[in-house]
Amino acid sequence: MFVMELTYTAPIEAVEEQMDAHLAWLDGYYAAGVFLASGRKVPREGGVILAGGLSRAEIEKIAAEDPFTLAGVCAYRITEFIATKTSADLSTVRENPAA
């Protein structure tokens, strides 16, 4: 599983100009079952996406295709982790690491 942390690198007005395209990009990956949760940071200096089911290389490719990335208004930090405990709602993405 991955935490995809976005940090805005441009003024919020430039981010807002890309928001509709970014939301459509998010919707596509929610429909594909890749994105599990997302939202704005507080304070509003970026966002966070929880993603799963793919390799790190695939997640990095997805981040590179974000309209925010293409417009140069954000930078990504991607952290991989093993979700060994989850809520019941996320039980389908729970992982069992190799011993």
Side-chain angles (χ1 to χ4, degrees), residues 1-3 36 50-55 79-86 90-98:
M1 187 165 301
F2 298 89
V3 176
L36 305 171
L50 184 61
L54 298 176
S55 70
T79 304
E80 186 172 4
F81 73 102
I82 298 171
T84 55
K85 291 189 72 68
T86 66
L90 291 177
S91 64
T92 59
V93 297
R94 195 173 299 143
E95 300 172 273
N96 293 313

Side-chain angles (χ1 to χ4, degrees), residues 57-74:
E58 291 168 311
I59 292 295
E60 289 173 351
K61 183 175 183 263
I62 288 169
E65 296 169 351
D66 181 348
F68 282 173
T69 302
L70 296 174
V73 301
C74 87

